[in-house]
Amino acid sequence: MVTVAQAEQIIAQQTRDYGTEYLGYELAMGRMLAEDLIADRDLPPYNRVTMDGIAISYSGYASGCRRFDVVTTQAAGDRPAAITADNQCIEIMTGAALPETVDTIVRYEDLSIENGTATILIDTIKRGQNVHTRGKDKKQGDVVAMSGQVVTPAIISMAASVGVSRLAVKKLPRVVIVSTGDELVGIDETPNPYQIRRSNSYTIKAALQQYGIAPDMMHLPDDPDTTYTQLQAALGAYDVLLLSGGVSMGKYDYVPSALGRLGVAPGFYKVQQRPGKPFWFGAHASGQLVFAFPGNPVSAFLCLYRYFIPWLSGIGGSNAKPLYAELAADLTFKPQLQYFLQVHVSVSEAGMLVGTPLDGNGSGDFSNLVAANAFMELPLEITTFTAGSVYRMWPFKPIV
Ligand code: AMP
Ligand code: MG
């Protein structure tokens, strides 16, 4: 048996690179950039007018001119116009490229325009005002978003600006979710009184969907030969196997032995935690990883969010920082196991994250997961936990 920290470390050592793929914006959202995004031209690419008004040459203003003849109007997207004398101006709109013969924009609010003559009504004009100069934000060839960042709307904005319509993102592993157990039936079937529906596979699939993975699913009966041949097939077709059930000490738990015979070297079997103690993890010499979670739905859920999702985020290069919350109530937990308490974390009036225990009927009550939004990881070495203490937490829903 290993501790939670050891289990985490053993898994973290299994780094993988599944390569790069090029995706359109919809599919690239939330994925990890695999190449730097480079500015194909200066940003902004020309001296950009930032106010509607008139464009003048500052030298005319400096020599005392306050009335300017409007020679033409230039809209955004128009080819730049020109003036030929210092007492001329161009009516010009936000987004237009500043013509070479002018350098300063006076906004409509500071002007009156009558019969083709613009009169400046203020006496605080600065040379170059209301112009966003070419290359001020980025120069051509500059990195505008670095590889390793998660693709967000702001990154899509940069990609669109520099003309990259397909983003290079880290490929994700091919994942299969494997349920096991003779008591399990499909979700559309009517279970006999001694059967249950296989919910774990759908829970895991839904969670992975949020990370851009569309896993396949398979089901194994509690039979050693079928377990062996089906797992062999899965190892041939997928990078990661996420199993649930069949890893406990029961007479019909065939998963660890089948995996061992198939060359999946165990990294650990059993973690000093509740829920999820019989968690089995291993790696094949050819690279495939196997996360074999206990079948108990809360155990599988906890192990998914505590171990698999961080590993998945890690291979893309984004190790999320630990999050903490205050425990809202006193609590005692005596077993020598690291306890993952189901909590509902909310934001207190003082702006602190506070986790209220929602343990229901204990760690195995999965109906509670609907109301809870996080697990709070209570340290192994303590048995009495007092309200107001701060502990690490693992959210699995947005905190509101
Ligand atoms: P096991 O780890 O196979 O001993 O299973 C532990 C408990 O989890 C048993 O009560 C199983 O019926 C239940 N279980 C196993 N797999 C699933 C599943 N896919 N969906 C829901 N419950 C499951
Ligand atoms: Mg079972």
Side-chain angles (χ1 to χ4, degrees):
M1 184 148 72
V2 294
T3 63
V4 169
Q6 286 164 337
E8 180 177 41
Q9 217 193 344
I10 290 166
I11 294 171
Q13 280 162 1
Q14 297 293 339
T15 53
R16 295 286 184 277
D17 188 344
Y18 298 108
T20 298
E21 62 185 332
Y22 292 83
L23 300 178
Y25 298 156
E26 289 85 354
L27 292 176
M29 260 302 286
R31 299 282 296 273
M32 198 69 56
L33 260 191
E35 289 172 8
D36 292 343
L37 268 181
I38 307 292
D40 66 328
R41 53 208 293 238
D42 290 344
L43 288 180
Y46 47 80
N47 292 325
R48 188 178 67 88
V49 171
T50 64
M51 287 286 177
D52 300 318
I54 58 165
I56 59 167
S57 167
Y58 186 80
S59 58
Y61 177 83
S63 58
C65 185
R66 294 295 178 270
R67 291 162 59 79
F68 296 82
D69 296 335
V70 178
V71 291
T72 186
T73 302
Q74 185 188 327
D78 282 353
R79 209 175 280 280
I83 58 169
T84 51
D86 265 1
N87 68 339
Q88 295 179 345
C89 72
I90 300 161
E91 252 192 275
I92 202 158
M93 306 303 140
T94 302
L98 186 75
E100 283 185 4
T101 49
V102 290
D103 54 16
T104 300
I105 306 297
V106 184
R107 9 173 248 170
Y108 277 134
E109 292 87 329
D110 302 329
L111 299 172
S112 73
I113 300 183
E114 260 174 63
N115 303 324
T117 302
T119 306
I120 296 182
L121 307 173
I122 55 166
D123 41 26
T124 50
I125 304 288
K126 284 198 215 111
R127 185 193 295 274
Q129 71 176 26
N130 301 325
V131 177
H132 187 189
T133 51
R134 174 176 175 165
K136 183 159 191 253
D137 299 344
K138 295 284 176 196
K139 297 273 186 268
Q140 181 180 16
D142 278 356
V143 173
V144 296
M146 278 205 305
S147 165
Q149 286 183 279
V150 174
V151 176
T152 58
I155 286 184
I156 304 265
S157 165
M158 289 322 299
S161 303
V162 304
V164 174
S165 59
R166 296 183 76 76
L167 288 166
V169 296
K170 285 273 178 209
K171 260 193 187 169
L172 296 170
R174 294 164 300 167
V175 177
V176 62
I177 300 169
V178 186
S179 54
T180 71
D182 285 346
E183 76 281 29
L184 302 178
V185 300
I187 51 172
D188 293 323
E189 293 173 47
T190 306
N192 285 316
Y194 47 86
Q195 295 177 317
I196 56 167
R197 296 189 181 92
R198 41 176 177 267
S199 61
N200 283 353
S201 314
Y202 296 91
T203 318
I204 297 172
K205 185 174 182 184
L208 296 198
Q209 220 178 331
Q210 298 183 308
Y211 294 87
I213 293 183
D216 288 333
M217 284 190 199
M218 58 195 268
H219 179 71
L220 303 180
D222 289 322
D223 168 73
D225 295 337
T226 318
T227 299
Y228 181 88
T229 50
Q230 297 273 77
L231 288 179
Q232 187 173 40
L235 286 167
Y238 298 94
D239 302 306
V240 174
L241 278 56
L242 295 181
L243 280 83
S244 68
V247 289
S248 302
M249 299 300 280
K251 207 167 172 182
Y252 306 106
D253 291 330
Y254 299 116
V255 167
S257 68
L259 288 169
R261 282 189 287 140
L262 287 163
V264 184
F268 58 78
Y269 179 29
K270 295 209 175 117
V271 183
Q272 206 176 350
Q273 63 181 8
R274 181 178 295 170
K277 189 171 156 197
F279 176 23
W280 191 103
F281 172 79
H284 193 277
S286 311
Q288 304 90 319
L289 297 178
V290 180
F291 294 73
F293 305 139
N296 172 300
V298 184
S299 303
F301 196 84
L302 179 267
C303 290
L304 181 77
Y305 278 96
R306 178 65 181 83
Y307 301 100
F308 177 72
I309 300 293
W311 172 82
L312 185 68
S313 312
I315 57 161
S318 83
N319 278 309
K321 295 279 177 294
L323 296 169
Y324 296 86
E326 237 178 57
L327 180 63
D330 292 340
L331 192 105
T332 305
F333 183 75
K334 294 231 167 79
Q336 271 303 295
L337 297 169
Q338 187 143 354
Y339 193 53
F340 287 91
L341 175 70
Q342 293 182 40
V343 289
H344 184 266
V345 176
S346 55
V347 183
S348 73
E349 272 181 29
M352 302 292 289
L353 295 176
V354 179
T356 305
L358 283 184
D359 238 10
N361 286 321
S363 67
D365 184 353
F366 75 104
S367 60
N368 256 331
L369 293 173
V370 174
N373 58 6
F375 289 100
M376 195 173 259
E377 185 172 333
L378 301 179
L380 185 60
E381 59 278 7
I382 307 177
T383 53
T384 306
F385 306 90
T386 47
S389 307
V390 172
Y391 299 112
R392 191 159 183 193
M393 57 127 176
W394 296 85
F396 49 84
K397 276 184 223 168
I399 286 167
V400 282

